[in-house]
């Protein structure tokens, strides 16, 4: 079921996607479609019992995570970009302003910060998004005060995040810009240039009939309840935008949730990629089996792949987890799994210095 403004909403979502794709190198077009749906959802999150985080992850530095947040900021509801934030500042600001917070450098700010992690994780469910603190009274006593943790959050960082946060998030994958890829720089006029679109989204959201957000969207049956909860608001936005965006929603969920696994690990990145480039330098053919690639790694002289897996030799499963953040997956064949050399070469070009 689409809304009376379906065509205009679809056009606005497409414009957001275009802005993203012009400025950020993502793992696929499906990432930008998911971001656009989430962006529109930030204006309506009070209508849902749960709303996901947007977790923007890069495998290494210089993949454009800050640029990604800057690109999204002009379109979300009351967006505010912050490079670091404390737990107490977070819930006080949410209580006061009800913003969409875009938190950069989250791999640093969340590290060993259990209080901040707890505040962010609690904001996934509207009913439980509360912080109870004690405040002094005029008489010198103390009384409890409830602070809201309910607010949309886009979080960007490098590498792996806690399972708890990832399970509450739509996870977006970044890639480093390739040699032949171009991006549009964000200048000082970019934010203000999107004011008309922000105004349209605000007006549109205030006129969305609540009953339209109560309609159960058609979603793939093979996803678990938590992922279904995360994607449900995005699918309801897609329904309001019409058939084209329903198809895009299905494709995004399939790519981000069913094809990519959220339990990726931080890689011994440059060392692994460098060794892979070395052992494949004289390899011919469009693909290599997972088992053959593993054997080649383990036969590397002076390497530590025989003890890099918590003191044990690496396995095919370990290798797959290390390569996923780079957008590299194993393809199933009749008797084995195989990696495409074109996928591996793309990662070498993006993340390793040129060979002398």
């Amino acid at each position: 079921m689409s809304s009376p403004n379906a065509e205009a909403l679809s056009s606005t979502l497409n414009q957001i996607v275009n802005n993203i794709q012009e400025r950020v190198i993502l793992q696929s077009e499906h990432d930008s479609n998911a971001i656009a749906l989430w962006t529109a959802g930030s204006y309506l999150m009070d209508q849902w019992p749960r709303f996901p985080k947007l977790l923007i992850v890069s495998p290494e530095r210089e993949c454009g995570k800050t640029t990604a947040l800057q690109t999204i900021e002009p379109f979300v509801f009351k967006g505010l970009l912050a490079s670091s934030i404390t737990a107490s500042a977070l819930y006080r600001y949410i209580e006061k302003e009800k913003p969409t917070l875009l938190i950069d450098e989250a791999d640093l700010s969340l590290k060993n910060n259990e209080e901040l992690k707890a505040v962010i994780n609690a904001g996934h469910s509207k009913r439980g998004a509360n912080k109870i603190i004690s405040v002094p009274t005029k008489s010198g006593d103390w009384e409890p005060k409830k602070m809201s943790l309910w607010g949309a959050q886009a979080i960007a960082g490098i590498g792996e995040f806690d399972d708890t946060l990832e399970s509450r998030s739509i996870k977006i994958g970044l890639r480093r810009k390739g040699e032949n890829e171009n991006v549009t720089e964000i200048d000082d006029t970019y934010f203000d240039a999107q004011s008309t679109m922000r105004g349209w989204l605000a007006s549109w959201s205030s006129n969305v009939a609540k009953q339209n957000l109560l309609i159960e969207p058609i979603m793939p049956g093979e996803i678990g309840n938590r992922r279904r909860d995360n994607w449900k608001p995005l699918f309801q936005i897609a329904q309001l935008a019409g058939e084209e965006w329903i198809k895009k929603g299905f494709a995004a969920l399939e790519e981000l949730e069913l094809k990519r696994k959220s339990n990726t690990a931080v890689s011994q990145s440059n060392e692994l990629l460098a060794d892979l480039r070395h052992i494949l330098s004289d390899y011919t053919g469009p693909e290599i089996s997972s088992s053959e690639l593993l054997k080649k790694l383990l036969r590397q002289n002076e390497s530590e792949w025989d003890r890099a897996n918590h003191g044990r030799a690496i396995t095919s499963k370990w290798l797959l987890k290390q390569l996923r953040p780079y957008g590299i997956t194993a393809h199933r064949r009749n008797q084995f799994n195989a990696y495409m050399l074109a996928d591996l070469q793309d990662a070498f070009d993006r993340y390793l210095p040129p060979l002398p």
Side-chain angles (χ1 to χ4, degrees):
M1 177 179 179
S2 61
S3 67
N5 285 321
E7 186 175 345
L9 176 59
S10 177
S11 175
T12 299
L13 293 173
N14 286 331
Q15 290 180 63
I16 295 172
V17 167
N18 290 339
N19 273 278
I20 295 168
Q21 292 180 348
E22 288 173 0
R23 291 165 174 83
V24 186
I25 305 297
L26 298 161
Q27 287 195 16
S28 76
E29 64 177 322
H30 306 297
D31 294 79
S32 55
N33 290 334
I35 292 171
L37 291 169
W38 185 89
T39 295
S42 69
Y43 288 79
L44 290 166
M45 69 172 294
D46 277 343
Q47 306 300 321
W48 292 299
R50 295 175 187 84
F51 192 71
K53 317 293 180 186
L54 191 70
L55 186 59
I56 302 173
V57 178
S58 62
E60 293 186 10
R61 295 169 57 88
E62 299 180 5
C63 290
K65 57 184 178 56
T66 302
T67 301
L69 293 179
Q70 291 173 336
T71 301
I72 299 167
E73 183 187 15
F75 304 110
V76 296
F77 174 72
K78 296 178 68 175
L80 177 72
L81 182 61
S83 58
S84 66
I85 193 166
T86 65
S88 59
L90 177 62
Y91 61 74
R92 285 179 168 85
Y93 196 79
I94 292 174
E95 172 72 24
K96 181 180 179 181
E97 300 291 342
K98 302 293 189 293
T100 297
L101 277 174
L102 303 104
I103 304 172
D104 201 2
E105 308 290 351
D107 51 308
L108 301 177
S109 59
L110 293 179
K111 187 176 181 180
N112 300 321
N113 193 333
E114 297 304 319
E115 184 181 8
L116 182 57
K117 291 179 186 178
V119 170
I120 289 176
N121 289 333
H124 179 253
S125 172
K126 186 177 182 180
R127 184 174 180 83
N130 300 303
K131 171 82 171 180
I132 308 298
I133 63 172
S134 293
V135 296
T137 65
K138 292 181 179 180
S139 63
D141 295 326
W142 294 83
E143 64 180 15
K145 180 180 180 180
K146 183 175 74 171
M147 307 285 283
S148 175
L149 305 177
W150 183 242
Q153 294 157 12
I155 301 166
I158 299 172
E160 188 178 43
F161 286 83
D162 288 349
D163 290 344
T164 305
L165 176 58
E166 293 202 3
S167 71
R168 288 161 165 76
S169 302
I170 304 296
K171 189 175 180 181
I172 302 298
L174 295 174
R175 296 190 299 164
R176 183 176 291 170
K177 184 172 72 70
E179 185 176 338
N180 297 320
E181 291 176 315
N182 296 310
V183 293
T184 301
E185 299 293 331
I186 295 177
D187 60 26
D188 293 337
T189 67
Y190 176 70
F191 185 91
D192 290 338
Q194 317 308 325
S195 60
T196 300
M197 205 176 305
R198 283 197 302 278
W200 187 90
L201 284 166
S203 176
W204 160 79
S205 63
S206 66
N207 290 295
V208 172
K210 188 172 183 179
Q211 59 265 30
N212 286 347
L213 299 177
L214 299 176
I215 299 171
E216 282 293 322
I218 299 173
M219 298 175 67
E222 60 266 40
I223 62 171
N225 289 337
R226 175 57 64 84
R227 290 179 178 179
R228 183 177 295 274
D229 287 343
N230 287 341
W231 282 85
K232 185 176 177 179
L234 276 64
F235 270 75
Q236 289 179 315
I237 296 294
Q239 284 186 153
L240 296 175
E243 188 63 31
E244 175 193 359
W245 273 93
I246 293 174
K247 292 178 180 178
K248 288 180 178 180
F250 268 92
L253 188 150
E254 181 178 2
E255 171 66 24
L256 274 62
E257 296 288 358
L258 303 182
K259 290 185 178 180
R260 296 179 201 169
K261 303 297 183 181
S262 61
N263 60 338
T264 55
V266 178
S267 67
Q268 290 101 329
S269 52
N270 285 342
E271 183 181 357
L272 175 60
L273 291 181
D275 276 1
L276 287 173
R277 181 167 68 175
H278 174 70
I279 64 179
L280 294 174
S281 60
D282 58 355
Y283 190 88
T284 58
E287 65 183 37
I288 182 171
S289 72
S290 175
S291 59
E292 184 176 359
L293 187 60
L294 181 65
K295 289 177 183 177
K296 286 180 175 291
L297 273 174
L298 290 172
R299 286 199 297 263
Q300 278 281 91
N301 292 330
E302 299 182 3
S303 75
E304 297 185 356
W305 302 120
D306 60 343
R307 51 186 180 277
N309 184 14
H310 303 290
R312 301 185 298 273
I314 64 173
T315 64
S316 295
K317 183 177 180 181
W318 181 95
L319 182 60
L320 180 63
K321 291 176 71 174
Q322 310 313 307
L323 293 177
R324 277 179 182 145
Y326 296 96
I328 302 171
T329 58
H331 299 266
R332 182 65 184 165
R333 305 296 183 241
N334 287 335
Q335 302 296 329
F336 57 89
N337 291 327
Y339 291 100
M340 303 302 297
L341 261 68
D343 293 342
L344 290 161
Q345 186 61 52
D346 181 69
F348 303 156
D349 293 342
R350 292 176 188 276
Y351 299 104
L352 295 178
L355 290 170

